[in-house]
Amino acid sequence: MLSDALRDQLLNYLDGNMAPADRARLEQQFETNSELNAAWQALREMQAAGRDWEDVAVPQWSRLAGVTARPGNTGIWPVSLGWLSLATSITAILLVLFRAEISVTEQGFSVAFHESGLNPTTLEQRLSDLSVAHESTLNQRMAALEKKSLEMNRQLLTAALSYSRDERRREMTALATNWSRARSSDLMLVDGIRDNQLDDRLALRQLYTRLPPIN
Amino acid sequence: MIGVDSDEKLIAKALAGSQRAWSKLVGRYESRVYNQALRMTRHRADAMDLMQEIFLAVYRNLPNYRHEGSFPAWLSRIAINRSIDYQRHRGRQPEQATIDVAELLGEDSPQDALGLSRRNTEISRMLANLNPDQRVVVELKFFQQFTFEDIAQQLGISSNTAKNRLYSAIAHLQKSMEIKNAL
């Protein structure tokens, strides 16, 4: 195991923070100390990894996802629900707490608080209306989110399938090139064999002509 | 540079409520953060989630940014802390929790199907051999070029601990190199 001092020297060497004399001394040790040399190779491998990494393009995304009107304003309310839902809920709570009565007359619209004559049935009806309105808002938002999510999934699958198709195309092209290369090599081989056979036949004929006739 | 807003200017505008300024600031650093997340998680979807978490954390903490150090260093600190939290959380999850599209399509390796280059795939495999603590130190040292003092400060550990983690990472790598050579 390498000593701490040697390890530190190795890291200083890697960072280029070493006096020339110390550098030379350490470089000599690389040749004699195999453990030190192996550690140095591993360090260089990591350094090369840091240098060689090719940045991958960032997929499309919403840079404003989850961003509120001003930074730091997070609170306990989930950001994704938005201000409209928050305002609706707070209004509903306030209306209940202050026992508000909303009435529409021919003169216009009026809101009264602490109405003693507020009927529980009316109150229940109003709460129910508010609840329905709130639920409808939430449903709309959920539907929009679901639609967005489905669209994103579709895009992801399309990209993946397109990549797969391209990959297969590349493989087929490579296969065709290899086949064509093998075929021309085979043809050359066949030509060579044919030439050899012709040479052999010629040589045999010449031999026959030189042989004495058989009685 | 003329016509290019400084980080500080964009931060001031974002703090005043400008979403455009925030978007510009994110655009300036998203590639760096995404690639870091990709190296830390080794999954495209996880990297995307992690990047969004990081930028959300940065946005929420923007009022606390004191301009004492550079913005990239501050961002990197948040990114690393989030990555550590993410990996700790992942460590408690069953492996099946992360299913990649590539896996669904039956690819041999998620990296191959992510369109990563051969070299990036090799690097990714090398990092996969390291435990989260070692991976973080390797990330800061070799991919983000921090000094050991900076790494120690970012992780809240001593400089010696940071070096020790790097040495253990080297030991792991040496072992895998030996196996590779033997094969």
Side-chain angles (χ1 to χ4, degrees):
Chain A
M1 194 171 164
L2 294 179
S3 69
D4 287 351
L6 211 48
R7 285 171 166 186
D8 281 346
Q9 279 185 38
L10 205 53
L11 289 175
N12 287 335
Y13 181 74
L14 181 81
D15 289 344
N17 302 328
M18 229 178 182
D22 293 334
R23 279 182 76 87
R25 210 171 300 128
L26 192 70
E27 279 163 3
Q28 274 184 344
Q29 286 192 65
F30 285 153
E31 287 164 23
T32 52
N33 186 338
S34 61
E35 199 182 351
L36 181 70
N37 192 30
W40 169 238
Q41 294 306 329
L43 263 177
R44 281 187 61 186
E45 181 82 12
M46 279 188 184
Q47 197 180 35
R51 208 177 36 233
D52 295 348
W53 178 268
E54 294 160 23
D55 273 353
V56 177
V58 183
Q60 273 204 327
W61 71 294
S62 166
R63 290 175 184 162
L64 298 175
V67 166
T68 51
R70 272 168 199 265
N73 198 0
T74 53
I76 54 163
W77 193 262
V79 174
S80 57
L81 287 180
W83 287 105
L84 187 64
S85 306
L86 179 61
T88 314
S89 305
I90 291 174
T91 313
I93 292 164
L94 288 176
L95 287 172
V96 174
L97 281 178
F98 292 103
R99 287 159 55 194
E101 186 172 350
I102 304 160
S103 53
V104 183
T105 60
E106 284 177 3
Q107 283 76 36
F109 168 82
S110 71
V111 182
F113 295 98
H114 294 290
E115 277 288 325
S116 53
L118 190 64
N119 172 340
T121 320
T122 319
L123 179 64
E124 204 170 300
Q125 179 60 42
R126 278 180 203 151
L127 279 174
S128 162
D129 290 348
L130 278 169
S131 166
V132 168
H134 192 201
E135 200 179 326
S136 158
T137 312
L138 283 175
N139 283 342
Q140 279 173 10
R141 281 177 176 270
M142 288 302 289
L145 278 173
E146 202 174 330
K147 196 176 162 193
K148 196 175 161 190
S149 163
L150 278 170
E151 178 59 22
M152 278 175 75
N153 283 343
R154 195 186 61 76
Q155 284 177 2
L156 199 66
L157 272 170
T158 310
L161 287 171
S162 154
Y163 175 82
S164 181
R165 269 198 302 275
D166 289 348
E167 183 68 15
R168 301 289 168 267
R169 199 172 296 132
R170 275 198 297 274
E171 279 173 5
M172 287 302 290
T173 312
L175 193 69
T177 315
N178 285 338
W179 180 81
S180 159
R181 218 174 276 155
R183 190 171 176 273
S184 37
S185 151
D186 288 349
L187 282 173
M188 279 169 71
L189 206 65
V190 168
D191 283 349
I193 293 168
R194 202 177 49 204
D195 289 348
N196 283 343
Q197 279 184 340
L198 283 172
D199 290 347
D200 290 349
R201 276 186 198 169
L202 276 171
L204 277 170
R205 263 185 212 165
Q206 281 171 0
L207 271 175
Y208 277 127
T209 53
R210 283 178 202 166
L211 283 174
I214 302 164
N215 293 327
Chain B
M1 205 187 291
I2 297 165
V4 178
D5 287 336
S6 67
D7 287 350
E8 279 64 31
K9 205 168 176 180
L10 290 177
I11 291 166
K13 283 182 183 173
L15 282 169
S18 165
Q19 293 193 339
R20 193 177 145 78
W22 171 248
S23 187
K24 271 175 96 172
L25 194 65
V26 171
R28 204 170 275 182
Y29 293 102
E30 65 181 3
S31 174
R32 180 174 162 166
V33 172
Y34 177 71
N35 277 277
Q36 180 194 316
L38 202 56
R39 287 189 295 267
M40 300 298 280
T41 62
R42 301 175 60 240
H43 282 268
R44 180 176 48 189
D46 289 352
M48 203 64 200
D49 285 350
L50 180 56
M51 180 183 74
Q52 292 189 22
E53 267 187 37
I54 290 168
F55 279 118
L56 204 54
V58 170
Y59 188 76
R60 285 175 178 170
N61 286 294
L62 212 50
N64 304 326
Y65 174 56
R66 297 278 172 255
H67 303 271
E68 282 157 2
S70 71
F71 177 72
W74 186 71
L75 169 68
S76 171
R77 196 172 310 142
I78 292 179
I80 283 296
N81 286 334
R82 284 280 152 179
S83 301
I84 293 168
D85 288 349
Y86 194 89
Q87 290 191 63
R88 278 188 192 141
H89 179 70
R90 270 287 300 276
R92 288 197 294 268
Q93 301 287 320
E95 198 56 34
Q96 289 83 351
T98 52
I99 297 170
D100 203 272
V101 174
E103 288 163 5
L104 288 173
L105 293 173
E107 297 284 349
D108 289 341
S109 145
Q111 284 78 32
D112 296 340
L114 296 182
L116 291 186
S117 67
R118 186 183 289 269
R119 181 66 179 135
N120 276 10
T121 307
E122 278 174 14
I123 295 170
S124 207
R125 283 191 182 135
M126 182 187 88
L127 293 174
N129 287 325
L130 309 177
N131 72 33
D133 285 339
Q134 293 165 350
R135 208 180 301 165
V136 165
V137 175
V138 168
E139 167 69 31
L140 290 173
K141 181 68 190 162
F142 295 108
F143 291 87
Q144 303 202 22
Q145 320 295 336
F146 282 108
T147 63
F148 280 109
E149 286 68 32
D150 289 336
I151 296 171
Q153 204 186 352
Q154 290 223 0
L155 300 179
I157 55 177
S158 72
S159 194
N160 270 339
T161 310
K163 284 180 184 174
N164 281 334
R165 285 184 188 173
L166 186 69
Y167 295 141
S168 347
I170 293 167
H172 269 279
L173 185 63
Q174 273 179 266
K175 269 183 208 161
S176 53
M177 279 168 78
E178 277 166 20
I179 293 168
K180 202 170 144 187
N181 291 337
L183 290 172

